[in-house]
Amino acid sequence: MRENNTRVAVDIGGTFTDFVAVSDGSLSLEKASTTPDNFANGVIATLEKSSLPQSAIDQFVHGTTVVINAVTERNGERCALITTDGFRDVLDITRANRPDMFNFRYEKPEPFVPRRDRFEVAERVDQAGTVLTPLSESDVRAAVEEIRDRGIDTVAVAYLHAYANPDHERRTREIIAEEFPEAYVTLSHELTGEYREYERTNTAVLNSYVRPIADEYLTTLESHLDANGVEGNRYVMKSNAGTSSFEQARQSPIEMVESGPVGGVFGAARVGTNIDEPNIISFDMGGTTAKTSLIEDGDVDIGTEYWLESSRHHEGYPLQIPVVDIVEIGAGGGSIAWIDQGGSINVGPESAGADPGPACYGHGGTKPTVTDVNLLTGRLNPAYFLGGEMDLDVEQAEAALEPVADEFGTSVRETAHGVLRVVNSNMANALKQVSLQRGYDPRRFAMVASGGAGGLHAAALGRDLGVKEVIIPRAPGQFSAWGMLLTDLRRDYVRTWVRPFDRDGASAVNERFAELADRAITEFGDEGILPEDISLELSVDLRYTGQEHTVQTPIPVGDEDTGSTITAASSETLVTPDAIATTIARFHDRHEQAYTFSLEDSVELVNVRLTATAEAAKPTIEPVSRNGTIEDATKGSRAVDFDREGTHETPVYERDSIPIDEVVAGPAIIEEPACTTLVHPEQEFRLDEYANVRITEETR
């Protein structure tokens, strides 16, 4: 693989677009306002702000919100669905999962393809892949003609059991190419080889829905990069914590649905590795949303049961693709405070975004936001926002909050505290959702907090949750982009194959994994990656015979119980009888951990899974040496209102001047260009050898 010396990552957020570059060991950081009318402009703006010669960039990694925005804002392209005769209404039937059982006003989610744009064709394959009814090519041609006449140029094809035999889907694409060559076509089996027709169909539909927009965006971005002399390798961050080429991203853009946030989760796991802390709760608070995820024993949790827009009152939309397990809520620096019909303060999910932004930006915003209240309570320095690039207007912030204060008959300052309590409560609930509500004791975990607003709220949230400590990593305002530089190229493969799982079936299981490995070698080979540079990780979804729910279990390679990773170039047998026995023992343990019991029943295989990765060049994280005293880092002080803890004259420190390993008592404000960190009274902090800020409760 090509050796990269200059690596750049750019992450588009709801308010700011973040830039991180590592060139021969030196780090460059930039921020620019996100440009919703053309996201590529914000990307180029960060490149232009950097002093780095763009022609010197060897590797460019990009995380984007284009896909998730298209889905949540419902501005994707109209698409059609071609499906098996009798399965036109799968998107309406869904899974019959009512999240709020006693809500008599409950309504099922509206499908992204209306019924009139779904077309049935005669064909049928059983779960073993046997053709029961041949594909009616005349039905397909008639459907394509109707789709073309309606002006729809995006088509999803999802046939029953196509994961077991995709020949009918492939032939359908050939027919569409003959009849309507301009159409975008998505085949369900190319996105997932897993069963469950509703999830697979909806995944294909959503990929079709966003594909033209993603294609146009990536094409525009590539033309901008070409025009600016960026010739290096170009990658897109995917939801599985890996990267892919721009070309692959064009074919399966739905895999970018959580493109930005997963970089922060992966970066948090890497921070934990460096400080020998394997148990991490990742917390990322940006301008529009707050995201959290749990990392146990250093492993980022990645699953294929992901539901968009799912809540207690809404079942959401399933995506059957690998996605890092993230809980995301509308709580960011730009989240707007408002009063509901019952007279209570709410915060978010609506955000002031990048344009006009919070009222204190002075760009025309008039609604109160979290950034405004942080300014009014003294937590933000109006003259040092973005390192002094932007002055914040205190009077505009007060004017925005006054209508809310008048509604309650309180002062602006008291109202500001009310907003902070609400937004902190919302974020605390999200943190508890990934920890306490799933049986994890937060006291076993450290919290890694990032995002432009994360440092302002993390110490209070960590105290509420009871974590061991709160860690603010280097470059927290650009941390998701930083995490992208630490990832590898990755592809995930899955194949549903229901059968008994025992030692006697090792040879057949090995053949299935070999098929997936061959596919990985071929697809990575198209990007110039050799088999010896590809690592394969094996796992299986197992259940007790007769049960419904499965437990994903890693399968060791060969006869060794040391791991489940092997290079694709290895001539070793992937799965042996001893490996099967070891995997069954692991399954019993994992089942008991997940469901509090295990059985002596026979075990059944449902899915085989293979993860293929190719290592990408990445920056090293070196220890920092910094002497001096805390007085050298002191910039002055200002009055900060800590609500129930009172108002304190609080020392302000410049982060890059704080000496390593000196313990400093709170309260304190730690400033850096893209982030402000708040340390509460009765807390203390220090910078470790990697310059992470480590906040703990005071020892008495």
Side-chain angles (χ1 to χ4, degrees), residues 374-375 377-382 384 455-457 459 472 630 633-642 648-658 664-673 675-681 683-685 687 693 695:
N374 275 318
L375 177 64
T377 53
R379 303 171 188 218
L380 283 175
N381 182 350
Y384 195 65
L456 287 167
H457 298 261
I472 312 296
I630 193 64
T634 304
K635 301 171 63 174
S637 66
R638 64 174 178 267
V640 178
D641 189 342
F642 289 90
H648 297 263
E649 190 65 24
T650 303
V652 180
Y653 304 106
E654 183 65 41
R655 177 168 179 164
D656 286 344
S657 299
I658 299 173
V664 183
I669 291 284
I670 305 169
E671 291 186 343
E672 56 191 300
C675 182
T676 297
T677 298
L678 183 69
V679 181
H680 286 250
Q683 291 182 329
E684 58 190 20
F685 75 92
L687 265 63
V693 176
I695 303 172

Side-chain angles (χ1 to χ4, degrees), residues 72 90 108 172 186 246 279 533 572 667 678:
T72 57
V90 161
K108 282 193 173 183
T172 298
T186 295
F246 273 38
N279 298 324
D533 294 324
E572 297 179 47
L678 183 69

Side-chain angles (χ1 to χ4, degrees), residues 330-450:
S335 295
I336 294 171
W338 53 283
I339 301 174
D340 63 21
Q341 292 181 342
S344 299
I345 291 180
N346 291 264
V347 181
E350 184 183 357
S351 172
D355 184 15
C360 61
Y361 285 10
H363 295 163
T366 59
K367 297 179 179 179
T369 68
V370 175
T371 297
D372 294 313
V373 300
N374 275 318
L375 177 64
L376 292 173
T377 53
R379 303 171 188 218
L380 283 175
N381 182 350
Y384 195 65
F385 195 70
L386 295 184
E389 286 187 25
M390 181 187 295
D391 290 330
L392 300 183
D393 192 324
V394 176
E395 292 182 357
Q396 292 281 0
E398 288 180 343
L401 203 59
E402 279 176 356
V404 180
D406 291 343
E407 185 73 21
F408 288 99
T410 60
S411 68
V412 168
R413 180 66 64 86
E414 290 173 320
T415 304
H417 286 310
V419 172
L420 287 173
R421 291 172 195 166
V422 170
V423 73
N424 280 351
S425 176
N426 292 343
M427 292 187 293
N429 287 336
L431 289 164
K432 292 172 183 176
Q433 188 174 335
V434 301
S435 56
L436 286 167
Q437 294 180 22
R438 299 180 183 178
Y440 295 100
D441 185 350
R443 293 173 296 183
R444 294 176 45 230
F445 292 78
M447 179 195 295
V448 174
S450 60

Side-chain angles (χ1 to χ4, degrees), residues 11 37 90 109 112 124 186 189 234 278 305 322 367 406 416 426 442 445 508 510 524 540 545 559 567 570 645 652:
D11 175 36
D37 56 327
V90 161
F112 279 78
R124 193 63 177 262
T186 295
H189 80 273
R234 300 167 184 178
E305 295 183 4
K367 297 179 179 179
D406 291 343
N426 292 343
F445 292 78
N510 184 72
F524 272 117
V540 285
T545 302
D559 294 318
T567 64
S570 175
E645 297 168 280
V652 180

Side-chain angles (χ1 to χ4, degrees), residues 127-129 163-164 193-195 494-502 504-513 515-516 540-543 575 580 604-609:
Q127 79 284 353
Y163 61 88
E194 198 168 349
Y195 75 152
V494 58
R495 173 68 190 274
T496 293
W497 189 46
V498 181
R499 56 160 294 134
F501 190 72
D502 51 37
D504 295 339
S507 177
V509 173
N510 184 72
E511 289 179 9
R512 290 296 185 189
F513 275 114
E515 292 171 2
L516 298 181
V540 285
D541 292 350
L542 302 177
R543 66 187 180 191
V575 181
I580 295 287
E604 191 171 56
L605 171 65
V606 177
N607 297 310
V608 294
R609 297 184 183 275

